[in-house]
Amino acid sequence: MNRHTFAFAGALIASAALSACNATEDEPLPGEPGNAVEQVAPGAAPAITPAATPIPDASHAVPVDNPDAPSPTTGGDGSDLVLTPLTAADLSGITLAGELACSFSQSAGGPSLMLARGDVADAAGRASFAVKIGSYVEQGLALQDGGYDAMLDGGRFGTRGLTLTVRKVGAAARSGGESPPRTAELLAQRGDGAERVFAGFWTCGP
């Protein structure tokens, strides 16, 4: 090989080395922007960036119990306290002793939620009554002596596991007649803590 040939071969080798170096510098590294496919070692799981946990704002706050809400009517077993109007069939199957009656209804002249009877001028006697709890008719007695006269302005009555109080008896809803309905409330209290108030009318007379 003469001197000119040797110089030409050296120039070719230097040019190839310079091109390889430039190509390496221009190639993006794995994981850098512009690298279309990230190289993952065989058998290794790809890295996962955990998502940021959002911070709830005031509009998504968890509601709290309203302290002004009325007390629930359910008792210890979770059931509602339900009184059902007495039907004609219900009344035909019960016997209430007494000369005159008082009844509580949710509308003037409507069916009775409770019906009680007692004797007039019976200072030592107690009125008897009937009430329909759900679908069952129960009978009981007034919790105070005095018969019919003692319940003209309301009163307390008791049966198995239930106490009924007729209270806030007002003026007659209409004038005239022997048995004018009077505005009143019926408080029903069950032995397991359930209670409920019914608004309506207390009617006493023949």
Side-chain angles (χ1 to χ4, degrees), residues 63-172:
V64 297
D65 291 337
N66 180 5
D68 297 326
S71 301
T73 61
T74 57
D77 64 354
S79 62
D80 292 329
L81 199 168
V82 178
L83 298 185
T84 308
L86 293 161
T87 65
D90 295 329
L91 296 176
S92 65
I94 61 177
T95 300
L96 298 178
E99 299 170 323
L100 297 177
C102 291
S103 66
F104 182 89
S105 59
Q106 291 182 281
S107 60
S112 301
L113 282 184
M114 186 190 78
L115 176 66
R117 297 189 71 88
D119 291 328
V120 177
D122 186 5
R126 295 191 177 188
S128 59
F129 79 99
V131 65
K132 190 173 184 179
I133 307 169
S135 58
Y136 298 95
V137 177
E138 295 282 354
Q139 292 185 235
L141 294 173
L143 299 181
Q144 72 277 353
D145 297 335
Y148 171 78
D149 298 336
M151 61 181 181
L152 285 173
D153 294 320
R156 297 180 71 238
F157 306 82
T159 185
R160 292 184 300 176
L162 185 69
T163 301
L164 300 172
T165 304
V166 178
R167 62 186 188 181
K168 298 183 179 179
V169 178

Side-chain angles (χ1 to χ4, degrees), residues 185-203:
E185 284 183 352
L186 176 62
L187 170 63
Q189 295 172 299
R190 201 165 61 193
D192 63 356
E195 66 177 50
R196 189 171 181 181
V197 176
F198 299 85
F201 298 89
W202 185 237
T203 305

Side-chain angles (χ1 to χ4, degrees), residues 47-61:
I48 300 175
T49 302
T53 301
I55 300 176
D57 55 30
S59 64
H60 295 86

